[in-house]
Amino acid sequence: MRAVCEEAVAAALAGGASYADARAIVRRSQAISTKNRRVDRVDDIESEGIGVRVLVGGAWGFACDRRLDEAGAHEAAARATSFAKAAPGKHQRALAPIEPVQGEYRTPRDEDPVDVPLGDKIALCLAAEEGMQHPDVKVTSAFVRAMRESKVLVSSEGTAVEQDLVECGGGIDAMASDGEISQLRSYPSAHGGSSAGSGWEYVLGLELEREAPRVGEQAAALLRAPVCPPATTTAVIDSEQMVLQVHESIGHPTELDRVYGTEAAYAGTSFLKPGDLGSLRYGSDRMNITADPTTARGLGTFGYDDEGVPAAPTPVVEAGILTGFLTSRETAAQIGNGGGGSMRADGWSRMPLVRMTNLHLEPGEGTLDDLLADVDVGVYFETNKSWSIDDKRLNFQFGTQVAWEIKNGKRGRMLRDATYTGVTPIFWGSLDAVAGPGSWVLYGLTNCGKGQPGQHAHVSHGAAPGRFRNVQVGVAPS
């Protein structure tokens, strides 16, 4: 694939490009699901192709081709340069300088997840479904996935890198109903379980079959639980829900293309401004956020991003102050800070965009029980159910599948239909404790949408439970 990429870059330069890069990708992805103890879906899809990105007269051009040969390379390069030349107006773009790199990266793994027989994956799902059976549970489902991707990137600046990446994950859901209301419980996470950059050992380590009875029992118990009452109170949020809070209210608004307004599809722009760097108080001094594409088992873990920038951790919020953005080489040059490192594309047929890699809330001290012990009255939220946030990523409402009253430092009765609302910097300003490293959990999401045409990024977030004071929970009366 390297020779094909080199051919494409040479053709783009011959066609008038001042800069060019080419990515060749071969991907195989599998998705297996069962529903009500029957096979629901078995996908095993292979794709390959090349994407070529160029700068001509300061304008970007991008094109792709399914053929990983000389003809495909030349065709993609020719169309990319013609698109750039056709861009109206005058353009000026600078890219943050990087040293050309030659290297390789391979996801650590014990067992390649794609090589595990489909029959074994189906059997795992069916066994997990058996454990969720309960008279009140009307629908059960289980899901596993696996992906392997070989990727080569070559640029006109001398970068040439090869990467061999694998992912896998899974999850289970139980939906209970009494004819009037329905309630859902999921493990290890809602909206498609959790995935990791790892071998099949990650899926086995989730122990879906072991967790299944608890998931079914809690789904049924929610039918009889009272609705979370409205109040302004202390909220303790579990790791899984904290992950989505980080994703929506920190990850998207710190993507620098959104800050500049050059990207707004799917998730809007941002309440942040370029001049906020180093001065804006994003939250309390307990808030520390890091973007780290070197995290073990992260879905956003790689050796090099899709511009060839080597992976390195970047502080985004330190002691509550905004200290970094997620950047491309272009946006880094525009703001005069950073060097890129967050450019990722959803396969060979898409142009790279600024995306989250692995974005973490750094742990604090103690355990979940320690967080609860300092709460006289409050609510503990667990496992995301719904989210809503405005186009500036400022005003939000989140709902969780289950919650518990907190009274005198202990978890009390179960609550259903629990929600909390906030304004991003005010909410994070109310953070007064984060549990320690022993409570920190990494979750991988595969449904982060951005761009037109749309792209789905696979990203990971790590978080420990957090405690927030004076939060509006439940639906306040109008």
Side-chain angles (χ1 to χ4, degrees):
M1 291 196 294
R2 178 168 174 171
V4 173
C5 289
E6 290 172 342
E7 190 73 29
V9 168
L13 295 177
S18 59
Y19 169 85
D21 58 40
R23 285 175 301 108
I25 295 175
V26 176
R27 176 188 288 178
R28 184 175 176 188
S29 58
Q30 298 173 334
I32 293 90
S33 63
T34 60
K35 185 175 182 179
N36 287 343
R37 293 179 283 182
R38 307 186 76 155
V39 176
D40 184 56
R41 175 187 180 191
V42 178
D43 291 341
D44 192 349
I45 301 170
E46 295 184 74
S47 71
E48 64 180 34
I50 186 170
V52 180
R53 188 180 66 147
V54 302
L55 273 176
V56 181
W60 285 114
F62 175 80
C64 58
D65 199 284
R66 295 180 180 276
R67 297 167 294 175
L68 283 179
D69 57 20
E70 182 177 335
H74 279 265
E75 175 66 20
R79 285 189 289 115
T81 54
S82 67
F83 292 154
K85 290 174 182 177
K90 295 183 178 181
H91 305 271
Q92 287 186 335
R93 280 185 172 84
L95 303 180
I98 61 170
E99 289 293 324
V101 290
Q102 308 269 328
E104 298 180 358
Y105 175 81
R106 184 177 189 272
T107 303
R109 74 207 70 167
D110 292 337
E111 183 177 15
D112 191 308
V114 172
D115 291 341
V116 175
L118 294 176
D120 291 355
K121 292 166 179 166
I122 292 170
L124 188 155
C125 291
L126 291 172
E129 277 206 78
E130 286 294 338
M132 290 186 283
Q133 300 308 305
H134 185 284
D136 290 329
V137 172
K138 308 306 180 186
V139 180
T140 59
S141 59
F143 168 83
V144 295
R145 60 174 294 270
M147 188 181 83
R148 180 173 62 222
E149 183 175 271
S150 298
K151 178 191 300 187
V152 175
L153 170 70
V154 172
S155 83
S156 58
E157 296 174 327
T159 286
V161 294
E162 301 182 19
Q163 302 191 78
D164 175 21
L165 310 173
V166 297
E167 298 176 4
C168 59
I172 54 176
D173 299 285
M175 191 275 286
S177 176
D178 62 5
E180 294 185 3
I181 64 170
S182 299
Q183 295 293 315
L184 180 70
R185 281 299 279 135
S186 305
Y187 170 82
S189 177
H191 318 299
S194 181
S195 292
S198 173
W200 190 244
E201 59 273 10
Y202 175 77
V203 173
L204 298 179
L206 292 175
E207 298 187 300
L208 301 179
E209 187 174 0
R210 183 198 67 185
E211 296 294 331
R214 174 187 62 81
V215 170
E217 290 163 7
Q218 288 189 352
L222 280 166
L223 297 176
R224 292 168 284 278
V227 173
C228 178
T232 299
T233 189
T234 297
V236 178
I237 299 175
D238 83 312
S239 297
E240 193 266 3
Q241 175 58 33
M242 285 295 290
V243 159
L244 191 64
Q245 185 73 55
V246 167
H247 183 95
E248 299 293 346
S249 66
I250 303 169
H252 280 307
T254 58
E255 293 168 344
L256 192 51
D257 56 348
R258 295 194 183 282
V259 175
Y260 279 120
T262 55
E263 172 60 50
Y266 279 98
T269 56
S270 176
F271 71 94
L272 300 171
K273 300 177 179 62
D276 290 335
L277 190 66
S279 61
L280 181 128
R281 177 155 286 283
Y282 214 118
S284 76
D285 59 5
R286 304 297 179 93
M287 180 189 186
N288 294 282
I289 302 290
T290 306
D292 188 359
T294 70
T295 305
R297 289 190 165 187
L299 291 185
T301 297
F302 46 74
Y304 314 89
D305 81 342
D306 283 340
E307 291 188 308
V309 178
T314 301
V316 175
V317 177
E318 297 180 88
I321 302 299
L322 177 69
T323 57
F325 287 112
L326 307 179
T327 64
S328 62
R329 292 179 62 193
E330 179 182 350
T331 57
Q334 191 171 353
I335 200 173
N337 183 273
S342 295
M343 284 289 269
R344 304 172 68 200
D346 181 11
W348 54 267
S349 64
R350 295 292 184 265
M351 188 169 179
L353 299 172
V354 177
R355 303 307 301 263
M356 287 172 256
T357 55
N358 306 306
L359 192 69
H360 310 314
L361 174 65
E362 297 296 341
E365 298 178 347
T367 65
L368 172 60
D369 286 342
D370 294 329
L371 265 59
L372 299 175
D374 198 25
V375 180
D376 294 330
V377 177
V379 179
Y380 174 62
F381 293 85
E382 185 176 305
T383 312
N384 181 258
K385 183 178 184 179
S386 64
W387 70 92
S388 176
I389 191 165
D390 67 26
D391 283 351
K392 294 287 188 179
R393 326 304 291 177
L394 194 59
N395 300 281
F396 63 80
Q397 175 177 290
F398 290 100
T400 59
Q401 292 183 354
V402 66
W404 282 269
E405 283 184 336
I406 306 171
K407 285 193 174 181
N408 301 318
K410 301 290 185 182
R411 272 197 279 185
R413 62 176 180 164
M414 177 185 284
L415 303 172
R416 65 175 172 89
D417 302 332
T419 63
Y420 67 93
T421 63
V423 177
T424 295
I426 297 173
F427 175 77
W428 284 103
S430 72
L431 176 68
D432 81 335
V434 181
S439 301
W440 193 89
V441 182
L442 185 72
Y443 291 92
L445 315 175
T446 59
N447 61 343
C448 178
K450 186 175 180 179
Q452 289 181 330
Q455 301 190 36
H456 282 93
H458 297 180
V459 305
S460 286
H461 302 287
R467 187 176 66 214
F468 299 80
R469 303 292 188 179
N470 300 313
V471 176
Q472 175 63 51
V473 308
V475 179
S478 57

